Every structure is written in C-alpha cells, then in structure tokens.
Amino acid sequence: MRKVSMEEMAAYCNRYGFIFQGSEIYGGLANTWDYGPLGTRLKNNIKDAWRYFFIQIRENSYELDSDILMNPTVWKASGHIDSFTDPLLDCKECKTRHRADNLINDFDATINTDTLSEEQMVNFIIAKKVPCPKCGKSNFTDIRKFNLMFATQRGTTQETLSTIYLRPENAQGEYVNFLNVLRTMRTKLPFSIGQIGKAFRNEITPRNFTFRTIEFEQMEYQTFCKKGNDEDLYDYFKDYGMKFFEYIGLSKECLKFKDHEKLAHYAKAACDIEYLFPFGWGEINGTHNRTDFDLRMHQEFSGKSMEYFDTETNEKYIPYVIESTYGVDRLVLAILFESLVEEELESRDTRLVLKINPLLAPIKVNILPLIKKRHTEMAKKVYSELQKYFMVSYDDANNIGKRYRRGDAIGIPYSVTIDDTTLKNNTVTVRDRDTMQQVVVPVDELKSYLSDSMSF
Ligand code: GAP
C-alpha cells in the first residue's frame, strides 16, 4: 500500500472534483482554492461530524452564526490590531518578502523558532548567512511586524469611509454574543458556544496546497467557565480533540500533541494537535486557555458588563474561556491523506482507493446497472429509493470493473449491482470498497443492510 505525495494529492483533488485552483480560468489567484462537488460534500460531512460531537452530544452547547464583518473596535479590544502580526523581512537583492521564522526553519528544521526573540532571529540569520530561498543571497532588511488582517473600506462617501476588517478568527463572534446566548438560552456556567465560519489572514508565505491559505474555514468552540475550573477543562478539551479525530477516522500514530512555548497575546496555555502530513507535522487543532482576557477587554472597550452572576455562590465575575479550534480545510487535507492509497491487487494490478470513513464519504452508495438498457428501469428504482436516505450516485458508463475503480478512487463505500438476478429474484450484489467482497442482498433489505454496514 502506498501513500501519495502532496503533488499527487493536488492532482487527484483536481481530477476527481474535490479541490480546484481558485479563479482557474483567469490563471488563478495565488493560494485560493475552490471546493468541487466531492470536496464540498466532504467538507460538509466533517462539519456535520463536528456538530454532532460538539453541539449535539454535549450539554449546554450552542451554535452561532455571526457575521464576518464586525465593528472594528472588536479588533482593537481583542488585541488583533496591535498584536496579530508576523515577523517579516525583505531580501534586499531580489525584493522577496519572507517570514523570519520560516526562513530559519527552511535553513535548519531543528531550530525551535518559538523560543527566539526577533533580535535572536536576526542575529541567527546574519551569523549563519541564511540564504534567500529565491536568489540565494543573504542580505535582508530588519524584521518588521506585518499585520495579518485584511482591511477593507466601508462608507457611502470618500469622507465617511472607515476601515473594517475581515475577521481573522471567528472566536470574537462568540465572545461578543456571550451575553445574548446566556440570556436567551437561560443557561449556566459552564456552557459553550461553537461556530463554523470563514476566517481570513494575509499569510505572506502560503504553502502546501490548502494547508496555509488566506481564506479558510474554522470550527471554533468556546467554553465559558469559572476561574479555577479552567485548567481541568483545558485538559479535557485536549483529550476531547483526540477523541474527535479518532471518531472521524484519523489514526493515532499520525497525531500528536504539541505544547506552545510562544503564546498568542490572549493565551495562558496553548496546545496543538498535529497531523503527520507528507511535508511533516502540521497543526490541525488548537486548545487555548484564553483566561478572562477577551471578555474583560470587550467589557473595557464596549462599556458593557461581561460579568456573570453565580447563583450558587452569589458572586459576580468575568468567566474564563477555554477555546478548542479546528481548521476545516486542514481536516479535509488530513482525511484525504489518511485515506488515499495506491493498493497492489492479487492480479498485480494496482487500484487507487480512498479508504475514507463511511461517515465522511462524499457518496455512500454507487448504483450500477450491469447492462445499460436491460437493467436501467430496476436500477433507477433502487436509486430513487436509496436517495431518500443516502447520497447515492448512478453510473452506467464503461464496463463494471472500470466503474468499481472509479467508485473506489472517490471513496464510495458500497457499490450495488443490478443484473438479471435482480430482475428474477429481487436481489442485488453489494460490493464492499475495502475488502472488495460481494454479498447478495434482497432489495427489500438493502436500505437496512447499508445503514447497518455504515453504522448510520
Ligand atoms: N481562535 C483561535 C485561532 O484562530 P489559530 O491556531 O490561529 O487559533 C485555529 O487557528 C485553526 O485554524 C488552526 O488550528 C488551523 O487548523 C486553522 N488555520 C489557521 N490559520 C490557517 C490558514 N492560514 N490556513 C488554513 N487553516 C488555518
């Protein structure tokens, strides 16, 4: 069994309709990607799995859908205007801009840049004569801080234009709605607000296909709690993250925790879960102890009290927040790398197969009439019945072997063949994607057979 490289993955995603280059017909826009029909289904299935795991089966857990554009004071209060920056420097020779930490890590992957100050990074680059990856010379400007937020203008006239920002994280939507959710859901601490939504960052060095992009989707989850309960909850959500990844089918040996040494401006403690991609370990989740920082800052800047009245102790206090955040696009990529393999068959032939967890499979069942005209009517009947319960596809092109291969390549867990026996006995042949074993199932029992097999 062979896993695929990053280049092969990008080609696969394009060929089978998972991910296309953004604005492709215009030559693209660097580092933007569009999800095709299968990629969109995969993304939605990941989001549904998150909703189940975080919203549905957890108590006091509420979903929100807040706007991307927010009052700009939100970003002043949150610290993003002042502190959400990357350390950048320019090559004086070829004028390319680089992130100082990436420059160092590309030169020597063993250096932990999290522990280096800006001055130490500059000294390292000079002492080691770290070369520019573009022109090979080592002649850089000083490090400058570069804000990662995309700014845009809002207003009806030139004079009234004001700067607003595309949100760089969706968490602030949860914080500014803390009081609204508390009031309308009549809830108590600890409670959680989760949100799935787009975030935007002007990443200067996008790389690795969809891993680091300027527009991406996050599934963020904020648990508001009493100070003192925060450290236990922090540990709890680190483990819950691992459980979620096992639930969606990421293997344990490709996952690890990584504690942050350099903390974001809002965090008291932070730990990532990383996945082993072909380019190395990469963050797919973060758990952060954000203390009462965000709510306290919003109280200060908005003038609105963010205090919670604890009826058990008769105390008033600003809650602490434990954040558990997931990047949807990075999860799509991790799931694809986890599942896509080239497998050698007994016949010495190979097949490309996406051994994806059926829960996430974009299409669950493939309906295959063996002979086009003779079996079409019955196949269409089975197709429309199953469509009520599953995402089903219908394929009557090429020979049955080719149709199996295409279904395997896009991860369809079960193929249902309609042939003369179906017309005679009202049974179909169901083929399992992974084992390639076939079983005969009465048409009347097909729905429950498939539901049981996929544990739906
Ligand atoms: N609210 C906290 C926060 O935004 P983060 O670690 O900066 O924390 C959370 O981002 C998650 O969003 C990451 O774990 C990652 O999965 C995803 N993410 C962050 N930047 C990204 C980018 N440029 N492209 C794709 N995904 C990104």
Side-chain angles (χ1 to χ4, degrees):
M1 223 157 57
R2 187 180 73 84
K3 294 249 178 186
V4 301
S5 67
M6 191 54 102
E7 292 71 31
E8 287 171 317
M9 179 57 80
Y12 165 87
C13 286
N14 181 288
R15 174 171 178 201
Y16 288 102
F18 281 88
I19 302 170
F20 308 123
Q21 186 185 13
S23 325
E24 194 180 273
I25 60 167
Y26 288 98
L29 171 68
N31 228 59
T32 61
W33 302 97
D34 294 342
Y35 285 80
L38 297 190
T40 306
R41 288 238 36 95
L42 171 54
K43 234 185 175 193
N44 287 337
N45 292 343
I46 290 174
K47 292 189 232 174
D48 287 346
W50 178 89
R51 278 200 178 94
Y52 170 76
F53 218 75
F54 283 84
I55 305 293
Q56 187 174 332
I57 64 170
R58 296 204 71 257
E59 272 178 40
N60 290 354
S61 186
Y62 309 98
E63 194 173 352
L64 186 77
D65 184 0
S66 70
D67 264 4
I68 288 170
L69 300 173
M70 303 177 80
N71 185 311
T73 314
V74 167
W75 306 113
K76 189 75 195 150
S78 70
H80 283 82
I81 287 179
D82 296 326
S83 309
F84 196 54
T85 54
D86 268 348
L88 300 184
L89 34 69
D90 293 336
C91 171
K92 286 189 192 162
E93 305 292 332
C94 71
K95 314 287 178 226
T96 357
R97 186 162 284 176
H98 304 280
R99 243 174 79 169
D101 48 346
N102 287 345
L103 205 59
I104 293 172
N105 279 137
D106 287 347
F107 176 75
D108 182 348
T110 63
I111 304 286
N112 182 358
T113 47
D114 278 1
T115 58
L116 299 182
S117 67
E118 275 175 25
E119 197 185 337
Q120 286 169 321
M121 287 199 270
V122 170
N123 289 344
F124 181 94
I125 291 167
I126 294 171
K128 301 282 176 187
K129 293 200 170 38
V130 173
C132 166
K134 180 118 184 269
C135 71
K137 309 236 171 71
S138 185
N139 184 14
F140 297 100
T141 61
D142 276 344
I143 290 180
R144 280 178 300 119
K145 288 190 189 309
F146 182 85
N147 198 293
L148 288 171
M149 284 198 293
F150 278 108
T152 186
Q153 304 268 292
R154 185 221 180 139
T156 42
T157 64
Q158 201 60 33
E159 290 69 46
T160 57
L161 282 183
S162 61
T163 302
I164 55 174
Y165 302 92
L166 300 186
R167 68 180 176 202
E169 61 167 4
N170 71 32
Q172 298 303 324
E174 286 103 286
Y175 303 143
V176 300
N177 281 289
F178 159 71
L179 293 174
N180 287 335
V181 175
L182 176 67
R183 173 176 55 83
T184 53
M185 297 296 104
R186 299 183 300 161
T187 191
K188 283 192 170 153
L189 294 188
F191 74 91
S192 311
I193 308 179
Q195 171 161 227
I196 300 177
K198 292 265 189 177
F200 304 81
R201 292 182 193 174
N202 199 354
E203 301 272 6
I204 191 79
T205 49
R207 51 172 82 185
N208 292 326
F209 193 24
T210 57
F211 183 79
R212 186 176 299 285
T213 51
I214 53 177
E215 171 177 347
F216 54 96
E217 220 168 351
Q218 295 180 316
M219 303 185 290
E220 299 218 285
Y221 194 75
Q222 319 295 327
T223 300
F224 300 87
C225 67
K226 184 174 181 178
K227 180 179 176 182
N229 298 337
D230 55 313
E231 289 178 11
D232 284 350
L233 269 172
Y234 175 76
D235 291 338
Y236 171 85
F237 278 109
K238 275 172 58 179
D239 287 345
Y240 202 69
M242 278 292 183
K243 291 200 177 100
F244 175 60
F245 289 149
E246 281 174 45
Y247 170 68
I248 61 174
L250 295 178
S251 55
K252 261 193 176 150
E253 55 279 13
C254 289
L255 294 166
K256 71 166 190 194
F257 287 117
K258 187 183 174 217
D259 285 314
H260 282 214
E261 288 175 41
K262 201 185 258 175
L263 294 172
H265 61 275
Y266 50 71
K268 161 178 157 187
C271 180
D272 296 338
I273 298 177
E274 296 187 331
Y275 183 77
L276 188 55
F277 290 96
F279 59 83
W281 292 96
E283 174 194 345
I284 52 174
N285 150 268
T287 304
H288 309 134
N289 185 338
R290 295 182 73 136
T291 67
D292 60 357
F293 174 84
D294 297 275
L295 291 184
R296 196 160 34 79
M297 295 309 277
H298 287 308
Q299 172 169 291
E300 201 179 293
F301 278 76
S302 69
K304 183 121 185 158
S305 169
M306 292 287 158
E307 283 183 330
Y308 172 82
F309 179 66
D310 192 326
T311 49
E312 276 164 33
T313 59
N314 279 339
E315 290 170 277
K316 267 184 166 184
Y317 51 83
I318 299 180
Y320 266 41
V321 174
I322 302 301
E323 172 179 65
S324 177
T325 171
Y326 298 79
V328 183
D329 311 79
R330 289 187 185 180
L331 281 189
V332 168
L333 204 57
I335 287 289
L336 288 173
F337 275 115
E338 178 78 38
S339 316
L340 189 63
V341 288
E342 198 179 71
E343 201 176 60
E344 203 163 304
L345 302 172
E346 276 171 17
S347 57
R348 294 199 154 262
D349 199 5
T350 54
R351 69 165 180 155
L352 188 65
V353 52
L354 187 73
K355 294 193 164 181
I356 191 170
N357 179 348
L359 182 76
L360 302 185
I363 299 167
K364 314 292 185 200
V365 190
N366 207 6
I367 307 294
L368 312 174
L370 188 63
I371 301 168
K372 218 178 197 172
K373 284 205 179 115
R374 197 148 85 219
H375 304 128
T376 297
E377 194 185 332
M378 185 60 174
K380 288 273 178 197
K381 246 169 92 177
V382 174
Y383 174 68
S384 21
E385 184 53 27
L386 289 184
Q387 259 188 335
K388 296 177 196 159
Y389 310 100
F390 312 106
M391 283 303 290
V392 188
S393 64
Y394 185 94
D395 188 0
D396 61 5
N398 306 112
N399 67 45
I400 196 83
K402 282 198 175 145
R403 286 186 261 166
Y404 282 154
R405 287 289 172 276
R406 186 180 152 77
D408 292 344
I410 58 173
I412 305 178
Y414 293 98
S415 304
V416 173
T417 306
I418 282 82
D419 55 17
D420 284 347
T421 325
T422 317
L423 304 184
K424 210 165 105 203
N425 297 345
N426 216 28
T427 58
V428 291
T429 308
V430 179
R431 174 185 175 274
D432 181 298
R433 175 196 69 201
D434 297 344
T435 63
M436 293 186 283
Q437 299 290 316
Q438 304 193 357
V439 291
V440 174
V441 178
V443 170
D444 299 345
E445 293 168 24
L446 187 56
K447 188 251 160 184
S448 50
Y449 175 85
L450 292 167
S451 304
D452 293 349
S453 307
M454 291 188 277
S455 323
F456 294 160

